[in-house]
């Protein structure tokens, strides 16, 4: 059996990824990332939606997320599975700023994340998102909380339970990839 992992992300961002309106993940790292700091250390992972109460004011899209953060015992639906096509560390603010068409965060949120810590940088991953045909519901445990990005999930054998389908068709995703890479290669 393979250990399943999930990437914790705001619910509003998970929904944008699941609709195909976002194709990159940008992360500085959480408090509990350890001495080495954050990295995209997994190529395949589930999206674990978090309900950070101020997320609606941190994005450029309208949303109405009023649900409280998960509590131990709550049932959390995992709806999306990701494959990281590549991951890079960005140290040029202009590159990060030019990624705006590919995500929903407000510029000031990313600027704050980029400048937080000893070095100006942010980690970026281009992700191919798949909608799970049947959501995988897990029980929220205390170990899923806190300021960490990666959480271990129950073991599964290979592919997500129930199968999956790409959110964005192959040709459209290839075009998104070309556009994102063009932004980063200039």
């Amino acid at each position: 059996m393979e250990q399943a992992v999930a990437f914790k992300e705001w619910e509003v961002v998970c929904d944008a990824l699941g609709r195909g309106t976002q194709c990159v993940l940008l992360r500085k790292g959480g408090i509990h990332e350890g001495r080495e700091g954050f990295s995209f250390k997994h190529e395949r992972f589930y999206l674990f939606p978090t309900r950070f109460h101020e997320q609606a004011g941190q994005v450029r899209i309208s949303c109405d997320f009023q649900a409280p953060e998960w509590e131990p015992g709550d049932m959390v639906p995992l709806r999306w599975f990701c494959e990281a096509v590549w991951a890079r560390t960005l140290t040029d603010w202009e590159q990060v700023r030019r990624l705006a068409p590919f995500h929903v965060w407000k510029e000031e949120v990313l600027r704050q994340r980029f400048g937080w810590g000893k070095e100006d940088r942010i980690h970026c991953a281009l992700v191919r998102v798949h909608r799970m045909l049947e959501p995988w519901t897990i029980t929220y445990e205390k170990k899923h909380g806190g300021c960490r990005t990666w959480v271990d999930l129950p073991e599964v054998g290979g592919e997500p339970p129930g199968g999956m389908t790409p959110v964005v068709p192959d040709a459209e995703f290839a075009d998104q990839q070309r556009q994102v890479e063009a932004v980063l290669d200039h």
Side-chain angles (χ1 to χ4, degrees), residues 7 17 20-27 40 42-45 81-90 99 101-103 105 123-130 168 170 172-184:
F7 182 91
L17 288 158
T21 57
Q22 178 162 330
C23 62
V24 294
L25 290 171
L26 296 163
R27 183 59 54 99
F40 280 100
H42 302 283
E43 293 179 8
R44 297 166 48 90
F45 50 88
F81 184 78
C82 295
E83 295 176 287
V85 175
W86 50 252
R88 302 178 185 182
T89 300
L90 305 180
L99 287 173
F102 308 103
H103 66 78
W105 292 288
H123 304 282
C124 176
L126 175 70
V127 292
R128 182 79 193 264
V129 182
H130 303 270
V168 175
D170 293 346
E172 187 179 333
F173 182 77
D175 188 48
Q176 286 178 335
Q177 181 175 352
R178 278 191 295 277
Q179 289 177 45
V180 169
E181 290 171 354
V183 164
L184 297 180

Side-chain angles (χ1 to χ4, degrees), residues 72-96:
D74 287 347
M75 300 309 289
V76 180
L78 304 183
R79 294 182 170 90
W80 299 286
F81 184 78
C82 295
E83 295 176 287
V85 175
W86 50 252
R88 302 178 185 182
T89 300
L90 305 180
T91 57
D92 178 350
W93 169 247
E94 282 305 308
Q95 283 183 318
V96 178

Side-chain angles (χ1 to χ4, degrees), residues 12 18 22 40 64-65 106 114 151 170 174:
V12 65
Q22 178 162 330
F40 280 100
D64 185 30
F65 286 97
K106 288 184 175 178
F114 181 80
V151 294
D170 293 346

Side-chain angles (χ1 to χ4, degrees), residues 58-78:
Q58 308 289 315
V59 295
R60 295 179 282 120
I61 59 172
S62 64
C63 61
D64 185 30
F65 286 97
Q66 301 296 324
E69 184 56 85
W70 306 108
E71 295 288 336
D74 287 347
M75 300 309 289
V76 180
L78 304 183

